Every structure is written in structure tokens, then in C-alpha cells.
Amino acid sequence: MKFTGTKDYIATEDLKVAVNAAITLERPLLVKGEPGTGKTELARQVAQALGAPITEWSIKSTTKAQQGLYEYDAVSRLRDSQLGDPRVNDVANYIRRGKLWEAFVAPERQVLLIDEIDKADIEFPNDLLQELDQMQFHVYETGKTVQAVHRPIVIITSNNEKELPDAFLRRCFFHYIRFPDAETLARIVEVHYPGIKKSLVSAALEQFFEIRETPGLKKKPSTSEVLDWLKLLLAEDLDAADLQRNAKDALPKLHGALLKNEQDVHLFERLAFLARRG
């Protein structure tokens, strides 16, 4: 199994190496990077390229590691016992499978995406150490052990909102997706908008990188946001000349796609004010 990228996803050479190294080592691939740089999409494209089904587990602040294994619905069992339901005699009827269980017992090898692991409690990664390492877990209510039929390709994403435990990091192959340079970003744009005018792309990306490099910017626009911006530019039938700014108008056209908080909007408004005074 080798990942060589897909026609819909521009993967750098070092990213391909990281994916294939994780597959060879049979270790989870931990992918970090700015929000919007294609970490989640990477897992989907790996699944597509390898012809494997994907199981996605999106992590929230309230998610517990146990939910990825299974949950025992004691409340439903109590209710059914009060109603005289014969199903209560088999506790397995009240075990709800989690995403890891689904991936473990699938008839073919799966890609398992654990998305945004850093959103959960700090103990969350440690609580999955043994299960991801041994590819099995015990169901205490039934006394049975669930073991992976085929070891899934595990891809874990993080936006770096909090540090992950060393013991967890030691078991992963790590890759940081750097923000793409202008040439790579132009290739990404071409994939999403085939045939787009090169003059528009050139002018838009030049302005986009100027915005990203503006000192004092609170949130830098990401790859997904520049794609949204270009979609709007195309919908409005704008060309390179329409993107030119002057001192009176420091904000880019349709800036709401790129600037996502009032502090950054005010920053560009202040820059325009200073430019006019100058």
C-alpha cells in the first residue's frame, strides 16, 4: 500500500513520505498544521487513493475516549426490565459500538480518522494508548475482547490548541503540514477551479500573501479561505484589475472571506487611515 496522492489533492513529497512511513510502521500518523490546511481532507484522500473505506471520529470538548470503544446503555436496560422486555437477558443488546470498534471489526482494512484530538481533555490521548497500540480492547460488560480483523490506517489531526502527552507522541509518526508557498497554492487553486485565469490567480495570491504577512494580524487566512475567496471572485466575474487597492480602500474585495474578526478588519482600516494621512 503506497500513497502517491490523488488528482483532487496536492500532496507535497514530504507528506507522501510521512503517510507511507506511518503505514509501514503501522503507527498512527499525527498531522498538525494551521486550521484549513487540509488535514482532515488528507485522511479522506488517503482512503480514496488506497481504495479503503473511511471511519471518521470527530472529537469535541466533551468527547471521552470510552465513546470511541463502546458505550453501555444502562438506562435503556433498566427501562426495558421494568417493561418486561426479554432483551434484558442479553447485555450485548445494550452495548453501542464506537468508531474504533467499527474500524476494528470491518471486513476490509479501513482508514480511521480521529479528527482534532486536541479539542478533548488532556487525558483523552493517554486513554487510547493501549487500544491503538495493541489494536484490541476488552468489553467488561460481556467479558469479550474486540480485536482488529485488519489493522486500520490511523490518521490523527491536531490544530495545536494544546500539547499532547509524550507517551502518546512516542507512539505516532509525526508530520507538520506547512502553509503552502505561492507555487503550491496556485496548483491547489487549479485543482479546485480548472481553467481559472492565471492573471486573476496571480493577483489574488499576491494580495492574499500580503494580508497573511501583515504585522498584527490576529488570524491569518488559510488555504480553505483563499479558495472560498476565489470562488466569490469568480461568481462576481472579477478580474485582476478589480483587485487593485488604493490608500482609500485598504480592505480587499469581499474581505469577509479572508478576515474573520473585527480586530483584523479594524487593522486594515487603520492602515488605510495612516496611508491617507501619509
Side-chain angles (χ1 to χ4, degrees):
M1 275 185 157
K2 285 284 185 182
F3 175 66
T4 57
T6 70
K7 62 181 180 63
D8 298 321
Y9 188 88
I10 301 298
T12 58
E13 204 57 42
D14 58 342
L15 179 55
K16 295 176 190 175
V17 169
V19 172
N20 291 319
I23 293 173
T24 300
L25 292 172
E26 295 188 331
R27 297 278 190 180
L29 173 63
L30 174 60
V31 185
K32 290 188 177 183
E34 291 182 31
T37 49
K39 300 184 296 297
T40 302
E41 188 60 26
L42 169 66
R44 295 167 182 161
Q45 295 298 323
V46 169
Q48 179 182 319
L50 301 181
I54 184 169
T55 298
E56 299 188 23
W57 186 17
S58 297
I59 307 304
K60 301 178 182 178
S61 60
T62 56
T63 303
K64 301 299 180 185
Q66 181 64 32
Q67 294 171 308
L69 307 178
Y70 70 92
E71 291 183 278
Y72 169 51
D73 191 355
V75 174
S76 293
R77 192 181 188 196
L78 175 61
R79 183 195 62 224
D80 289 347
S81 68
Q82 292 170 339
L83 296 174
D85 193 321
R87 293 193 309 154
V88 298
N89 296 319
D90 185 358
V91 69
N93 292 323
Y94 302 92
I95 301 294
R96 296 178 180 174
R97 296 182 178 186
K99 296 295 185 180
L100 266 70
W101 189 330
E102 291 178 3
F104 281 9
V105 301
E108 54 186 314
R109 193 178 195 185
Q110 301 241 329
V111 171
L112 172 62
L113 168 63
I114 304 177
D115 202 20
E116 298 188 335
I117 194 172
D118 52 325
K119 280 187 175 180
D121 183 85
I122 188 63
E123 291 303 320
F124 180 93
N126 281 335
D127 291 342
L128 288 177
L129 282 180
Q130 184 173 337
E131 289 75 13
L132 290 177
D133 201 29
Q134 298 182 5
M135 286 291 150
Q136 65 179 33
F137 61 89
H138 188 68
V139 182
Y140 296 98
E141 289 78 6
T142 63
K144 296 181 179 179
T145 297
V146 176
Q147 190 164 14
V149 178
H150 303 284
R151 191 179 190 99
I153 299 167
V154 182
I155 298 179
I156 303 170
T157 72
S158 170
N159 288 328
N160 235 1
E161 291 183 7
K162 63 169 69 83
E163 290 296 323
L164 299 174
D166 289 345
F168 180 79
L169 295 175
R170 192 173 69 248
R171 288 167 169 81
C172 298
F173 190 92
F174 173 76
H175 182 76
Y176 183 85
I177 296 183
R178 293 181 177 84
F179 195 83
D181 56 25
E183 181 183 346
T184 304
L185 197 51
R187 290 169 58 205
I188 294 172
V189 170
E190 179 63 30
V191 166
H192 286 81
Y193 307 114
I196 188 173
K197 294 179 182 177
K198 294 189 182 299
S199 58
L200 176 61
V201 173
S202 178
L205 292 188
E206 181 180 354
Q207 195 169 125
F208 171 74
F209 279 104
E210 285 177 2
I211 292 169
R212 272 187 60 89
E213 293 163 9
T214 301
L217 199 65
K218 184 177 181 181
K219 183 197 175 301
K220 295 181 178 181
S222 67
T223 307
S224 63
E225 287 161 338
V226 74
L227 292 174
D228 287 345
W229 186 46
L230 281 164
K231 184 176 182 179
L232 291 173
L233 297 179
L234 290 171
E236 294 292 327
D237 199 24
L238 301 178
D239 56 27
D242 295 317
L243 298 185
Q244 293 180 359
R245 293 179 293 171
N246 53 50
K248 294 182 179 180
D249 185 19
L251 286 169
K253 300 284 186 184
L254 301 164
H255 64 269
L258 299 174
L259 305 176
K260 296 302 178 71
N261 59 68
E262 63 276 14
Q263 294 96 320
D264 289 343
V265 173
H266 292 161
L267 171 63
F268 278 87
E269 289 173 341
R270 286 197 300 274
L271 292 174
F273 173 74
L274 292 174
R276 288 195 296 271
R277 289 186 64 182

